[in-house]
């Protein structure tokens, strides 16, 4: 087990406005896609199911949920030191990824309005939810005298292009992993209320139901497109995206171990639980899932995280660029080696077991 990093002091863009974290492979990204390809998806085979999910989204069960109650109305100066820095970092990452969902969904709903009204409605309702989530998190940052300038982020962040099929795979996974992340944290704090140092955590139970519904919409969309699950190429892509999402999760959770420890969560156990649950859930949508019970599975992921912490240390050192590069190269190759070996662990066929997984 490697030591975890100290969270740096937040940098300011202007007074009270936090400078966005530097973009790396591990920071939440903003996405754009081939909107024409999404508009042209033939959803007729699963239209009734999709319509039922869109009706659920329209019902807006959490309409009155995201209201700050009186518990928020106090000073939070007692949360200090590493706990405060790590919590602000958690709020910022969560706010950025919720906002990234909002931007993508909003753009999809705008571009599909005329050509695919059912999907446009779905994206519009999901954008509504993500805007609420991001806004609620940004208000929480305000309690710590900071906020994110979301308009500035919209204009200045790099947008990564993903083809429509990749968007369906990755957004499905990020909604479902988001669900498990929030609900596991919520259930833990429900059992240990003395560790709940800020009221936000109490909102996660209904909040994560939004993510669950978003995930269900993407599952129905994915299953309506046989080319996304009924061939060998799809099976290879699915393994790739499952592994990418699980590796990123492991690296980011273990890099921010101090946040999880501040609410009494063992970050290693949390990471394993979130990944196992997400993997099991993915069997309902994907043709294959990963074998997380393989003895090498979490061992190699955690080794990648140890190496990642060493890479961060090198990055933060004062060595000249070339020295940093030469020290980093074998470590990066070693991460790639671990990931390749993880990729080739025999997956589990979900087409035969889907019915058995609840
Ligand atoms: Fe969300
Ligand atoms: Fe969501």
């Amino acid at each position: 087990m490697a030591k975890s990093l100290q969270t740096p002091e937040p940098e300011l863009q202007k007074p009270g406005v936090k400078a966005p974290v530097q973009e790396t492979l591990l920071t939440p990204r903003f996405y754009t896609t081939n909107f024409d390809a999404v508009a042209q998806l033939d959803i007729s085979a699963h239209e009734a199911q999709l319509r039922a999910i869109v009706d659920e989204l329209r019902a807006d069960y959490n309409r009155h949920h995201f209201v700050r109650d009186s518990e928020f109305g106090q000073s939070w100066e007692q949360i200090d030191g590493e706990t405060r820095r790590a919590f602000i970092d958690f709020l910022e990452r969560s706010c950025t990824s919720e906002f990234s969902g909002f931007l993508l969904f909003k753009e999809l709903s705008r571009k599909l309005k005329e050509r695919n009204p059912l999907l446009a409605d779905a994206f519009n309702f999901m954008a509504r939810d993500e805007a609420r989530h991001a806004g609620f998190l940004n208000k929480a940052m305000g309690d710590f005298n900071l906020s994110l300038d979301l308009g500035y982020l919209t204009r200045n962040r790099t947008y990564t292009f993903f083809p429509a099929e990749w968007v369906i795979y990755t957004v499905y996974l990020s909604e479902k992993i988001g669900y498990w992340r929030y609900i596991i944290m919520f259930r833990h704090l429900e059992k240990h209320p003395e560790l709940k140092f800020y009221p936000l955590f109490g909102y996660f139970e209904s909040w994560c139901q939004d993510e669950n519904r978003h995930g269900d919409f993407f599952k129905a969309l994915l299953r309506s497109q046989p080319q996304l699950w009924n061939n060998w190429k799809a099976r290879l892509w699915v393994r790739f995206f499952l592994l990418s999402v699980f590796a990123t999760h492991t690296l980011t959770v273990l890099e921010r171990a101090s946040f999880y420890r501040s609410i009494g969560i063992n970050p290693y156990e949390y990471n394993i639980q979130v990944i196992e649950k997400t993997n099991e859930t993915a069997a309902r949508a994907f043709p294959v899932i990963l074998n997380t019970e393989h003895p090498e599975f979490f061992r190699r992921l955690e080794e990648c995280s140890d190496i990642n912490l060493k890479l961060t240390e090198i990055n933060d050192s004062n060595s000249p660029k070339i020295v940093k590069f030469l020290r980093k190269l074998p470590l990066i190759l070693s991460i790639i080696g671990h990931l390749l070996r993880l990729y080739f662990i025999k997956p589990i066929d979900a087409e035969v077991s889907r019915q058995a997984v609840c």
Side-chain angles (χ1 to χ4, degrees), residues 92-332:
E92 178 181 11
R93 290 184 63 87
S94 306
C95 181
T96 310
S97 60
E98 298 279 10
F99 189 65
S100 153
F102 160 74
L103 288 177
L104 178 67
F105 295 157
K106 193 75 204 162
E107 198 57 8
L108 277 161
S109 82
R110 220 169 53 80
K111 294 259 169 62
L112 269 58
K113 210 174 169 72
E114 308 298 330
R115 289 186 289 170
N116 203 330
L118 181 62
L119 292 189
D121 273 354
F123 289 123
N124 186 36
F125 297 137
M126 292 192 294
R128 169 203 68 200
D129 295 342
E130 305 301 14
R132 268 182 202 150
H133 302 167
F136 205 70
L137 286 158
N138 212 9
K139 282 205 183 119
M141 287 185 76
D143 289 342
F144 296 84
N145 310 318
L146 288 168
S147 65
L148 279 182
D149 183 343
L150 299 176
Y152 175 87
L153 273 183
T154 309
R155 290 186 303 275
N156 293 289
R157 237 178 136 96
T158 323
Y159 285 75
T160 306
F161 176 85
F162 264 23
E165 307 81 50
W166 295 15
V167 166
I168 297 174
Y169 289 135
T170 54
V171 178
Y172 167 73
L173 271 179
S174 78
E175 297 291 354
K176 288 298 180 185
I177 204 169
Y179 166 77
W180 285 111
R181 283 176 53 75
Y182 284 132
I183 197 68
I184 291 172
M185 216 179 272
F186 176 84
R187 285 183 190 148
H188 163 80
L189 290 170
E190 201 178 29
K191 270 194 234 145
H192 303 281
E194 72 286 0
L195 296 167
K196 196 180 117 190
F197 62 73
Y198 183 71
L200 178 84
F201 301 113
Y203 284 72
F204 284 174
E205 190 179 28
S206 300
W207 184 322
C208 74
Q209 294 309 329
D210 281 343
E211 313 305 5
N212 209 18
R213 278 186 284 271
H214 301 172
D216 287 345
F217 165 78
F218 276 92
K219 178 190 78 175
L221 186 59
L222 195 152
R223 297 305 295 185
S224 76
Q225 307 299 308
Q227 76 280 10
L228 291 184
W229 52 270
N230 75 354
N231 57 71
W232 63 270
K233 264 195 206 163
R235 284 192 284 276
L236 291 180
W237 277 120
V238 160
R239 285 162 70 181
F240 171 79
F241 286 117
L242 282 164
L243 183 58
S244 312
V245 168
F246 294 162
T248 308
H249 191 258
T250 306
L251 266 49
T252 49
V253 165
L254 300 184
E255 203 174 52
R256 284 160 185 79
S258 63
F259 164 68
Y260 296 92
R261 294 214 168 94
S262 74
I263 47 171
I265 285 180
N266 175 327
Y268 287 85
E269 286 169 14
Y270 177 75
N271 182 51
I272 291 173
Q273 210 183 347
V274 168
I275 288 178
E276 283 180 346
K277 289 290 185 190
T278 308
N279 192 50
E280 266 173 42
T281 304
R284 294 181 230 170
F286 289 168
V288 286
I289 55 170
L290 302 186
N291 180 7
T292 57
E293 281 174 14
H294 191 285
E296 298 214 335
F297 190 82
F298 286 107
R299 184 183 69 74
R300 286 196 187 277
L301 282 181
E302 287 168 10
E303 272 184 39
C304 288
S305 160
D306 291 350
I307 301 169
N308 176 52
L309 296 181
K310 286 184 200 145
L311 285 171
T312 313
E313 254 174 48
I314 298 172
N315 271 339
D316 294 345
S317 71
N318 293 323
S319 316
K321 261 191 177 168
I322 180 72
V323 176
K324 280 188 186 179
F325 174 76
L326 291 173
R327 287 178 64 199
K328 275 159 56 178
L329 188 63
L331 298 176
I332 292 168

